[in-house]
Amino acid sequence: MGAVIESRNVSKSYGPAAVLKNIDLVIEAGELTAVMGPSGSGKSTLMNVLSTIDQFSGGEVWLEGKSLLDMNKRALREFRQERMGFIFQDYNLLDALTVKENILLPLSLRKFTAREMEERLLPIVQALNIEGILDKYPNEISGGQKQRAASARAIITNPAIVFADEPTGALDSRSATQLLEQLAALNERFNTTLLMVTHDIYAASYCRRVIFLRDGMIVNELYAGDQPQKAFYDRILETVSLMGGKAR
């Protein structure tokens, strides 16, 4: 299937402070991956660099085989709009638009026809179980529903990869579980590639691979393999404990 993202010897510094140090990473198409680590380990910086939001200081990054060093600002912007999706902790929904309008916004901006938008909308909202709230506004729905709407917006463009920044951070445990189960189902049904940054062991346990950062370096990786979610949770918990982190 091929790599969606590949980084080689990537570093990032802010002045004299090195935040990322020689990161080698490959994310294959269809992978469901979490990045974990203590505060200040470089998790968000890594996501920002891989998603082209921030520039790296050294090394090289390829997106679907294209080197970022060979892409100008316009090409990067178009790639971000057309081949990437983003799920944020604070949802980033527009209050003046309905849930349906929020979800369809990326397609509207790209001049899709109404028929094309409806064809893409239905299977996604069914998978996320939000068909019943499409005509509501963000202030009329729960946090869990907002995050599922944001997830639908992120994947409706059929992106090569979805970046999720602490997607369960603002949710209660029930809403978080529902979202994680539905993201896993989306990954299974649509082969959506997702890279999630999280502090939450429970959230990470729904992924098939977990990458651990510390002091700007990858220090460990775990693969779920055939393990059920609960067994993978226990392995992640043990790894975090051995690294001296705090379990959540």
Side-chain angles (χ1 to χ4, degrees), residues 10 14 22-23 46-47 49 60 62 81 86 90 118 121 131 136 147 149 169 171 175 184 195 209 236 244:
V10 163
Y14 295 100
N22 306 319
I23 298 290
L46 178 62
M47 187 177 73
V49 164
E60 194 161 4
W62 292 265
Q81 291 173 345
F86 296 88
D90 58 358
E118 290 292 337
L121 179 71
E131 312 102 292
K136 295 184 179 295
Q147 194 59 293
L171 303 180
S175 296
L195 183 64
R209 176 188 182 193
I236 299 169

Side-chain angles (χ1 to χ4, degrees):
M1 296 172 64
V4 176
I5 291 179
E6 182 176 357
S7 71
R8 190 176 301 160
N9 205 33
V10 163
S11 61
K12 174 64 179 178
S13 299
Y14 295 100
V19 181
L20 297 178
K21 306 169 186 175
N22 306 319
I23 298 290
D24 293 331
L25 178 63
V26 177
I27 303 294
E28 299 284 350
E31 278 197 313
L32 188 56
T33 304
V35 178
M36 299 192 73
S39 297
S41 62
K43 300 186 303 298
S44 295
T45 301
L46 178 62
M47 187 177 73
N48 289 342
V49 164
L50 296 179
S51 64
T52 78
I53 291 174
D54 202 355
Q55 295 181 327
F56 46 93
S57 305
E60 194 161 4
V61 176
W62 292 265
L63 299 175
E64 293 191 311
K66 301 175 184 177
S67 172
L68 297 191
L69 298 177
D70 296 332
M71 300 170 72
N72 59 29
K73 289 183 178 180
R74 179 178 178 181
L76 288 172
R77 182 176 66 252
E78 290 177 351
F79 193 98
R80 194 159 51 238
Q81 291 173 345
E82 297 176 7
R83 303 298 294 146
M84 294 181 180
F86 296 88
I87 304 173
F88 302 99
Q89 181 175 339
D90 58 358
Y91 321 126
N92 281 14
L93 298 176
L94 299 179
D95 292 335
L97 300 182
T98 65
V99 168
K100 180 178 180 178
E101 290 167 341
N102 268 286
I103 295 170
L104 294 177
L105 184 59
L107 301 184
S108 299
L109 295 174
R110 290 166 57 185
K111 310 299 183 183
F112 276 64
T113 67
R115 180 177 178 179
E116 289 172 327
M117 290 192 286
E118 290 292 337
E119 287 176 349
R120 289 202 184 189
L121 179 71
L122 185 59
I124 293 172
V125 298
Q126 286 178 337
L128 287 165
N129 194 27
I130 52 174
E131 312 102 292
I133 62 168
L134 293 180
D135 293 329
K136 295 184 179 295
Y137 289 87
N139 64 355
E140 298 175 321
I141 60 177
S142 69
Q145 290 170 326
K146 290 177 184 177
Q147 194 59 293
R148 280 181 276 162
S151 301
R153 181 186 57 193
I155 69 169
I156 200 164
T157 58
N158 293 333
I161 186 167
V162 174
F163 293 93
D165 187 6
E166 298 284 0
T168 61
L171 303 180
D172 59 51
S173 59
R174 180 182 177 185
S175 296
T177 297
Q178 290 176 341
L179 176 68
L180 292 165
E181 289 176 347
Q182 285 154 345
L183 287 178
L186 286 172
N187 170 258
E188 185 73 22
R189 179 173 176 181
F190 299 105
N191 201 40
T192 303
T193 309
L194 187 141
L195 183 64
M196 176 195 305
V197 168
T198 184
H199 285 90
D200 189 350
I201 295 171
Y202 184 69
S205 70
Y206 277 83
C207 296
R208 308 310 298 165
R209 176 188 182 193
V210 180
I211 297 165
F212 297 90
L213 289 187
R214 184 168 59 195
D215 298 327
M217 297 180 289
I218 295 176
V219 295
N220 204 349
E221 290 188 48
L222 293 178
Y223 289 84
D226 296 328
Q227 286 184 312
Q229 180 258 329
K230 177 61 171 66
F232 196 39
Y233 172 92
D234 291 338
R235 285 181 63 203
I236 299 169
L237 176 60
E238 181 181 11
T239 301
V240 170
S241 298
L242 290 172
M243 291 176 60
K246 294 180 179 180
R248 281 187 57 190

